[in-house]
């Protein structure tokens, strides 16, 4: 999935300092089935107080706070009840994907170092080494993708630099499972509804058992960007190059249906929250909500610039990170 390059720090513009910006009532256009209607969403944004922090990916912690990685800083941040906290890494790095772990802590990847980080909700940091990246000799970095809480009490991460999927226990024991297949390049990963690990590859969508047995399930898209288990028990994924969101029903036949998004969206991140799917578009100030029937609603972020990370729960608000405008946004309803 595309990520901000080295020029991002220079492009970040510090906006309004201080607390919450005005609440914006957004009329959202709904695409699908040849119909259009409107729905009201309230979008509130808060400026991250650290200039140029670049909030990137988000997770809701066991403390009910919104945690986020600061992609252009060596830090992770927390937003709780309108107050920000920042926690600096103990070494230089590029924190990327973050997830709430089964132990109540937050776990996150590092684009620079061959480690997986852990931070408690009180801010205590530790890191665990993972195998060296064997496919990073030309690009540098750690070759790690995203990280998730798995189905059996461990954390799982994708390792495109090693053509592998990794597993790390809460005590730091690591195992990587090769997914060797010409051009596979595992990208985004999620815990499936069937107790397996599902992930995107250059050919489409793959599935791996927790014992490491891999199969390509769907090969109808050119490298889907991200994948998540939806509230309906299906796998949902974004087609970056095709401007679609896809639904895969696991089981007999592994049926796939693609739903169009507006041309030029280039959907990236996807998250499940409030009974729907939520997506960001590449370097655009917009969030899309897709119902489990595939009807997509565009929610504009008027003061935003480049939404990427998304997080939410079954009943609460949906949060997003705008890494260029340096803001955390909140979408509420009604």
């Amino acid at each position: 999935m595309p990520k901000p390059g080295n020029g991002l720090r220079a492009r970040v513009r510090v906006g309004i300092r201080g607390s919450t910006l005005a609440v914006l009532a957004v009329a959202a256009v709904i695409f699908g089935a040849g119909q259009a209607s409107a729905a009201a969403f309230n979008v509130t944004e808060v400026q991250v107080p650290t200039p140029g922090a670049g909030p990137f990916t988000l997770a809701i912690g066991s403390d009910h706070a919104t945690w986020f990685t600061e992609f252009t800083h060596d830090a992770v941040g927390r937003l709780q009840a309108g107050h920000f906290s920042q926690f600096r890494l103990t070494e230089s790095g590029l924190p990327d994907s973050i997830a709430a772990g089964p132990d109540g802590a937050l776990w996150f990847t590092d684009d620079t170092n061959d480690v997986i980080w852990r931070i408690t909700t009180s801010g205590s940091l530790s890191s665990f080494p993972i195998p060296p990246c064997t496919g990073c000799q030309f690009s540098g970095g750690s070759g790690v993708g995203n990280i998730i809480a798995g189905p059996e009490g461990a954390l799982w991460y994708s390792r495109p630099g090693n053509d592998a999927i990794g597993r790390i226990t809460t005590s730091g024991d690591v195992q990587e499972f090769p997914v060797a297949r010409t051009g596979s390049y595992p990208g985004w990963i999620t815990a499936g509804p069937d107790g397996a690990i599902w992930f995107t590859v250059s050919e489409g969508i793959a599935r791996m058992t927790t014992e490491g047995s891999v199969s390509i399930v769907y090969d109808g898209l050119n490298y889907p960007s991200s994948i998540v288990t939806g509230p309906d028990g299906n796998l949902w994924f974004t087609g970056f190059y095709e401007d679609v969101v896809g639904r895969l029903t696991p089981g007999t036949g592994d049926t796939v249906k693609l739903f169009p998004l507006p041309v030029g969206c280039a959907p990236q991140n996807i998250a499940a929250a409030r009974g729907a799917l939520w997506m960001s578009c590449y370097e655009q100030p917009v969030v899309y909500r897709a119902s489990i029937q595939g009807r997509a609603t565009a929610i504009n972020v008027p003061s935003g610039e480049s939404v990427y990370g998304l997080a939410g729960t079954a009943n609460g608000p949906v949060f997003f990170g705008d890494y260029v405008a340096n803001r955390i946004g909140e979408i509420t309803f009604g």
Side-chain angles (χ1 to χ4, degrees):
M1 60 187 163
K3 295 178 181 177
N6 294 332
L8 174 62
R9 188 184 298 271
R11 292 194 292 117
V12 171
R13 296 196 293 273
V14 179
I16 300 172
R17 294 181 180 271
S19 59
T20 308
L21 301 178
V23 176
L24 303 165
V26 179
V29 177
I30 300 178
F31 299 88
Q35 299 178 357
S37 60
F41 299 87
N42 297 319
V43 179
T44 306
E45 296 179 271
V46 181
Q47 192 75 38
V48 179
T50 304
F56 197 54
T57 62
L58 287 71
I60 307 301
S62 60
D63 56 354
H64 308 293
T66 302
W67 289 77
F68 56 94
T69 53
E70 298 186 4
F71 191 76
T72 56
H73 280 193
D74 304 327
V76 294
R78 179 183 65 203
L79 174 61
Q80 187 170 41
H83 299 286
F84 280 98
S85 302
Q86 186 189 63
F87 305 92
R88 300 301 297 262
L89 304 189
T90 53
E91 62 181 305
S92 178
L94 283 176
D96 188 343
S97 172
I98 190 168
D103 56 351
L106 287 300
W107 294 71
F108 59 97
T109 63
D110 187 325
D111 279 6
T112 298
N113 303 298
D114 294 324
V115 298
I116 299 294
W117 292 88
R118 177 184 185 270
I119 185 169
T120 67
T121 53
S122 61
S124 178
L125 269 164
S126 54
S127 64
F128 302 94
I130 58 177
C133 181
T134 59
C136 295
Q137 61 269 36
F138 300 112
S139 61
S142 65
V144 182
N146 76 311
I147 188 168
I148 60 162
E152 34 47 289
L155 286 300
W156 292 76
Y157 60 91
S158 60
R159 196 79 189 276
N162 283 359
D163 203 16
I165 300 295
R167 177 183 186 270
I168 180 169
T169 67
T170 54
S171 59
D173 296 323
V174 175
Q175 183 179 8
E176 292 194 353
F177 299 88
V179 293
R181 178 185 170 98
T182 302
S184 64
Y185 198 74
W188 198 269
I189 184 175
T190 192
D194 55 355
I197 304 299
W198 292 72
F199 54 100
T200 61
V201 291
S202 57
E203 306 98 313
I205 305 296
R207 176 186 184 274
M208 186 181 79
T209 67
T210 53
E211 292 77 32
S213 177
V214 179
S215 58
I216 302 296
V217 177
Y218 171 67
D219 62 359
L221 278 184
N222 176 28
Y223 209 150
S225 181
S226 57
I227 187 169
V228 71
T229 294
D232 57 351
N234 293 313
L235 281 304
W236 288 80
F237 55 92
T238 54
F240 180 87
Y241 297 104
E242 293 84 359
D243 288 320
V244 296
V245 58
R247 183 183 66 204
L248 187 156
T249 303
T252 305
D254 294 311
T255 305
V256 171
K257 185 169 183 178
L258 302 178
F259 302 94
L261 295 171
V263 173
C265 167
Q268 289 196 110
N269 206 339
I270 188 169
R274 292 188 64 91
L277 292 309
W278 303 79
M279 295 159 288
S280 58
C281 298
Y282 182 55
E283 294 191 340
Q284 294 185 35
V286 65
V287 173
Y288 278 96
R289 176 194 181 274
S291 70
I292 58 174
Q293 290 78 34
R295 293 172 60 84
T297 306
I299 305 170
N300 293 319
V301 182
S303 56
E305 293 189 46
S306 192
V307 174
Y308 180 71
L310 298 158
T313 61
N315 301 308
V318 174
F319 294 89
F320 60 86
D322 188 322
Y323 59 83
V324 174
N326 203 34
R327 298 185 180 109
I328 299 294
E330 179 181 356
I331 302 172
T332 55
F333 311 89

